[in-house]
Amino acid sequence: MTGSELVRGERNDANGPFLAAELVRLGFDIGRIVIVGDRPDELRGAIAEALSADVCVLSGGLGPTHDDRTLELLAAATGRRLRVDPHLEVEIGRVSRTIAEGLGRPYADFEGGVVKQASLPEGATSLGLAGTAPGVVFESGGTVAIALPGPPAELRRLWPHAIESDSFRDVLARILPRNHRVLRFFGPSESAVARVLEEAGGEAQEAEVTVCARDFEIHVDLYSDDGAPKRAAALEQALREEFGAQLFAEDERPIEEIVFTLARARGLTLATAESCTGGMVGARLTAVPGASDTFLGGIVAYSNPVKSGLLGVPTAVLDRFGAVSAETAKAMAEGARTALGADVAASVTGIAGPGGATPGKPVGLVFVHVETPAGGEQLRTELPGDRERIRGRATAFVLHLLRRVLTHTGDHSV
């Protein structure tokens, strides 16, 4: 992943995780993700190392400016010359003329960049345009090199063309089939999962296991050779026996999508009332396509007057128990159900820090409540971390309590 703005921390890399996930899905074993700046010496070294793999994918550095050097250095590393592709030059020129006219600038300002972007290593094939930068694929010394634009939207638009190219499909045909199982737990610690795996024999060459903790979710990926699935099956069985009650998914769907699937299956609408998370629960829920079918809305009630005025939390409850309490969380959820007309409402209130702690109420104390017509369920927890982590983890707890309540709620039974 090239670009000095990535190395300096000015932007986060969105391309590496996307490409890695796509390649794993296709059966590849990912060696590494490298983020490198635009300096020729650094980029030259990264390309030389990448060309030792079966497939190397590069993003960025395909533009018209002096520091866009990916194809130039890729050509040099493979002993090829750059040659202008006349068809590509016309195509890029057409796009650039439209941009020039829109900006009210002469096409001459763009012409040099057009020629530069249309210059490909000998033997390379264009994957088409997404903007003015082409994607490029070619094979050299047994390695398939794929160069894609840096902007994530452009890269994702051209990626399907890359995996459909003849060179890439030739590599795909050589991949040995592997079984992949996904187990996701909410509740057990990462060390407890690691202990069970170790006691069950641990991973071996034919059974690879990865364990990743994300906001108290534990994601376990089990990979096994197509002809030797027994070791992976034994590890999976050990995890199910120990943590079966905490297993909530066997796929990669995010928890918010699982919540919506459960709600839709039961014909239920959802609403939220948030204090310490400031709308993060609603943001996660509305990130799911089609959320409007089920999610009616949310109220961010940060101050006590808003809790009373919009959610109807009794002043007596706030005075007696405080804004961060089980009683207030329950009243917030009940108020959201009434105010928004939802079947099920979830609330959260807590102390995200770094200040705000009082005797008996430390930073990280969070109350979550889910209310249905048939009653409610509540969770009290003390979350570790700084303000950002506490808010993120509180959001995860809300979504998982929603999942738990909806899982045990039959169709139209609330």
Side-chain angles (χ1 to χ4, degrees):
M1 310 302 127
T2 73
S4 294
E5 69 279 5
L6 299 176
V7 175
R8 291 193 295 259
E10 296 168 3
R11 291 187 182 180
N12 293 328
D13 171 35
N15 292 334
F18 168 79
L19 291 168
E22 285 288 299
L23 289 163
V24 167
R25 178 181 62 82
L26 293 168
F28 285 90
D29 180 27
I30 308 303
R32 66 191 64 190
I33 299 174
V34 177
I35 299 176
V36 62
D38 296 318
R39 287 173 47 185
D41 55 338
E42 297 286 350
L43 187 52
R44 189 178 292 111
I47 289 174
E49 182 179 13
L51 288 172
S52 65
D54 295 296
V55 173
C56 73
V57 186
L58 304 95
S59 75
L62 304 182
T65 61
H66 72 283
D67 57 350
D68 290 311
R69 303 184 174 98
T70 296
L71 290 184
E72 171 192 340
L73 295 178
L74 193 55
T78 55
R80 300 172 181 231
R81 295 182 180 180
L82 287 175
R83 298 201 181 274
V84 176
D85 182 321
H87 299 291
L88 189 58
E89 184 180 13
V90 171
E91 192 177 358
I92 298 173
R94 186 182 302 116
V95 176
S96 297
R97 287 182 190 279
T98 301
I99 295 172
E101 290 171 5
L103 296 174
R105 292 170 54 187
Y107 175 69
D109 290 354
F110 295 81
E111 199 164 8
V114 170
V115 173
K116 181 178 186 299
Q117 290 180 286
S119 300
L120 306 183
E122 293 174 318
T125 301
S126 169
L127 297 171
L129 299 180
T132 61
V136 175
V137 60
F138 68 95
E139 189 272 336
S140 176
T143 297
V144 174
I146 299 169
L148 297 168
E154 296 183 12
L155 179 142
R156 296 183 187 204
R157 200 179 314 159
L158 294 180
W159 175 243
H161 299 172
I163 63 178
E164 291 165 6
S165 66
D166 291 340
S167 298
F168 190 87
R169 295 184 74 83
D170 287 344
V171 180
L172 274 179
R174 302 200 305 268
I175 293 178
L176 296 175
R178 299 192 83 195
N179 296 306
H180 179 207
R181 296 284 292 137
V182 178
L183 301 175
R184 292 167 61 195
F185 304 91
F186 184 78
S189 67
E190 193 173 9
S191 57
V193 170
R195 174 185 55 79
V196 170
L197 289 169
E198 186 65 27
E199 290 174 353
E203 68 178 4
Q205 184 174 358
E206 70 274 12
E208 179 185 350
V209 185
T210 60
V211 181
C212 181
R214 304 173 187 171
D215 290 334
F216 298 106
E217 291 181 11
I218 304 296
H219 295 201
V220 180
D221 290 89
L222 297 162
Y223 297 90
S224 61
D225 295 341
D226 195 43
K230 290 184 178 180
R231 173 61 68 85
L235 296 175
E236 179 179 345
Q237 183 61 30
L239 291 171
R240 288 180 179 276
E241 290 176 358
E242 185 75 16
F243 307 115
Q246 296 158 304
L247 176 66
F248 71 90
E250 298 181 44
D251 55 37
E252 300 286 358
R253 289 177 301 157
I255 180 60
E256 53 267 29
E257 185 176 334
I258 294 172
V259 166
F260 274 126
T261 299
L262 290 168
R264 287 193 189 103
R266 288 151 178 74
L268 302 172
T269 55
L270 306 176
T272 58
E274 301 182 58
S275 183
C276 62
T277 52
M280 294 171 70
V281 178
R284 289 275 295 269
L285 289 171
T286 54
V288 179
S292 58
D293 294 343
T294 301
F295 183 64
L296 301 185
I299 295 173
V300 177
Y302 211 65
S303 70
N304 284 356
V306 174
K307 290 181 175 70
S308 297
L310 293 182
L311 294 173
V313 178
T315 302
V317 169
L318 291 167
D319 290 343
R320 180 178 179 185
F321 300 104
V324 180
S325 64
E327 294 77 10
T328 294
K330 184 176 189 298
M332 288 172 64
E334 292 172 339
R337 279 195 69 235
T338 301
L340 298 171
D343 298 310
V344 178
S347 67
V348 56
T349 180
I351 303 171
T358 60
K361 293 186 178 182
V363 169
L365 177 64
V366 171
F367 291 91
V368 177
H369 191 99
V370 172
E371 189 71 20
T372 77
E377 187 169 341
Q378 190 164 95
L379 175 69
R380 177 194 187 278
T381 185
E382 293 184 21
L383 301 173
D386 57 17
R387 182 178 181 85
E388 180 181 0
R389 288 186 174 87
I390 289 171
R391 281 157 46 88
R393 288 167 173 172
T395 298
F397 267 86
V398 175
L399 294 169
H400 277 281
L401 186 58
L402 268 171
R403 170 191 57 80
R404 191 166 75 190
V405 169
L406 291 170
T407 298
H408 296 100
T409 299
D411 293 348
H412 307 291
S413 64
V414 297

